Amino acid sequence: MLAGAVTQFYAALRWPGWATEVASVALDQGTSAWPPPWTREGKDLSAMSRKAIPLAELVSAQQDLARQLGFR
């Protein structure tokens, strides 16, 4: 990670203009994406809906989804 591997790791999850878009996201917020990028419908990252939401809400939604999918 210290040698720049983070950029390569996340390359498939970044859309054109992502840096400008996330620059305005507050430190207590995260970016919610719909449909999720790990779904067939979410593969086109430039076409998905994205918005900044409170980080606590984002984590709670992910935990709920993991529970529904049987991962927790």
Side-chain angles (χ1 to χ4, degrees):
M1 288 180 60
L2 297 175
V6 172
T7 300
Q8 185 178 2
F9 180 81
Y10 285 108
L13 295 174
R14 292 180 171 160
W15 57 93
W18 72 271
T20 303
E21 189 174 323
V22 301
S24 64
V25 176
L27 294 176
D28 63 344
Q29 294 182 314
T31 301
S32 173
W34 194 261
W38 47 266
T39 64
R40 184 176 320 154
E41 297 81 6
K43 293 300 179 200
D44 184 359
L45 301 178
S46 62
M48 68 174 44
S49 169
R50 296 177 300 275
K51 68 178 181 175
I53 64 170
L55 196 52
E57 184 180 330
L58 185 59
V59 170
S60 178
Q62 294 302 314
Q63 288 174 332
D64 186 46
L65 181 58
R67 229 181 340 272
Q68 290 179 40
L69 294 174
F71 291 109
R72 189 160 182 227

